[in-house]
Amino acid sequence: MDQPVPPSLRQPSGQSPVALAGAGADTDTWPGIPGQPAGPRPVPPVEAGRPIPPVETGRPIPPVETVRSVALVHEWFTATGGAEQVFRQLTEVFPTAARFALWSDDDADPPPLRVSWLARTPLRGNKAVALPFMPLVWRTLTRDRFDVVISSSHAFAHTVRLGNPDRTRHLSYVHAPARYLWNPRVDDRASGPMLAVPRRLMRALDVGLSHHVHSYAANSVEVRDRIRRHWGRDAWVINPPVDVDFFSAAPAADQAQPRDYLLGVGRWVPYKNFDLIIAIAEEAGLPLVLAGSGPEEDRLRRLAHQARVPVTIEVHPDRFRLRQLYWGARALLFPVHEDFGIVPVEAQACRTPVLGLRRGGLLETVVDAETGVLVDSLDPHDHAAAIGRLDELDQARMPVQAERFSTQTFARRVTEWVDHECD
């Protein structure tokens, strides 16, 4: 790592940030980057979204031998979330790496890490207000320098710069380009007309401050396509890690449950469509359990009280209780366009079929008509009508599919990515 990075591997300047930020931002069309020179090393063909073959299980994955100094960077730590699971697994792959985050929520339980000065300000409690400050914080995080910096990004962490790009390899694992900037129709925190100009400026910063990133990895084909569309960059595809061994190895009593209810799991926020999940259960005439937490809790409790079927709400179930709920469910309801979706993989590890929307991450995690049933509409009647088809599926096929997304697979793929980009 003491040798300068060859010019052929350096990030080209390409189009101006403003031009990139304005092209194709809210559309499904690929804007192209006329005249942009070749970028960093091409992604090997296997990264183009082809399924990852099953891997041998039961054999521990040794940590990467860290002969380089490594820094791991994460946006902020919340109590639960797929991004946090990814970061925890990265600390297993790189156990001696330095760890940084903007802040940690009071109810979170992060691994040991260093937080930024934002953690000591009122901005910590308001992500939307803190957003304009994040690019500055990521550029003034520490004076320490590292050979390799790996960011875990769903906002601005990919813009972090710890060292000269000629000597420091900056890699970024992307959960999604910030939805409130690039997909405001899905996340409306920056969708108002008064915010149109600030949103364009933030998009320009998002692109312009990330030219030093040598390589991206996306958590799904869906996110890889957004990286291409919004940032004009290619990316490896490395799916998030799921602890399938834990969920599949339930006690016999849990596995013997009668599977007599439908299940919805996740964070209770509007785009997760938990109100639609209740409507599907009503249409099907089956009891429902909602497990999770979030700002929609009061609204969901009102809808549950008014529902024509029994609806049980479980707040913050621990992983043992969650595993028990998966094993007792007839089906997981997942009518949401998600970037990837760890919950459906956990359900399949418990031999629970998934009934979901034929979009986004479910196209990678669920095999239609084999490990679940995918529906094209958001009509609760269409979803309820498909429940009968779930009984025809082979439950033994479901944990085999889930195994493709194990922590062992994630560790191998991340190791391949880092070794390839840092040779």
Side-chain angles (χ1 to χ4, degrees), residues 86 173-176 217-224 227 236-240 339-341 364:
V86 168
Y173 185 94
V174 180
H175 307 279
N219 74 350
S220 65
V221 172
E222 170 91 1
V223 170
R224 181 203 62 191
I227 290 173
W236 293 56
V237 174
I238 304 176
N239 298 127
D339 299 325
F340 175 72
E364 294 178 70

Side-chain angles (χ1 to χ4, degrees), residues 9 115 273 399:
L9 298 185
V115 296
N273 292 338

Side-chain angles (χ1 to χ4, degrees), residues 91-116:
T91 65
E92 296 291 327
V93 180
F94 302 98
T96 63
R99 305 162 187 175
F100 299 91
L102 293 177
W103 66 75
S104 176
D105 289 350
D106 291 335
D107 57 350
D109 183 25
L113 50 77
R114 294 158 62 179
V115 296
S116 74

Side-chain angles (χ1 to χ4, degrees), residues 382-394:
D382 294 339
H383 287 258
I387 289 177
R389 295 168 54 194
L390 298 173
D391 298 331
E392 304 169 2
L393 305 181
D394 180 6

Side-chain angles (χ1 to χ4, degrees), residues 72 86-95 150 152 410 414:
L72 301 177
V86 168
F87 188 78
R88 290 182 187 279
Q89 189 62 32
L90 287 173
T91 65
E92 296 291 327
V93 180
F94 302 98
I150 305 173
S152 166
F410 177 81
V414 166

Side-chain angles (χ1 to χ4, degrees), residues 110-239:
L113 50 77
R114 294 158 62 179
V115 296
S116 74
W117 57 263
L118 276 180
R120 301 185 295 274
T121 73
L123 295 175
R124 172 189 176 211
N126 194 323
K127 298 179 180 68
V129 176
L131 190 67
F133 296 91
M134 292 179 188
L136 172 64
V137 176
W138 287 130
R139 291 303 178 100
T140 58
L141 187 63
T142 178
R143 292 184 178 180
D144 296 340
R145 293 296 177 258
F146 302 90
D147 296 323
V148 182
V149 177
I150 305 173
S151 58
S152 166
S153 180
H154 54 81
F156 281 104
H158 70 117
T159 68
V160 67
R161 184 166 173 169
L162 304 179
N164 188 321
D166 285 346
R167 292 186 174 272
T168 300
R169 301 296 287 181
H170 288 82
L171 312 181
S172 184
Y173 185 94
V174 180
H175 307 279
R179 285 185 164 192
Y180 33 86
L181 295 183
W182 299 102
N183 302 90
R185 288 174 295 182
V186 176
D187 188 328
D188 61 4
R189 281 176 286 180
S191 61
M194 296 293 293
L195 297 175
V197 172
R199 186 170 66 245
R200 285 197 294 271
L201 293 175
M202 295 301 287
R203 286 174 178 169
L205 286 174
D206 197 31
V207 175
L209 294 179
S210 60
H211 283 202
H212 64 287
V213 177
H214 295 95
S215 178
Y216 282 106
N219 74 350
S220 65
V221 172
E222 170 91 1
V223 170
R224 181 203 62 191
D225 291 346
R226 286 194 212 155
I227 290 173
R228 289 173 172 176
R229 183 165 63 245
H230 301 321
W231 297 343
R233 298 287 300 273
D234 208 348
W236 293 56
V237 174
I238 304 176
N239 298 127

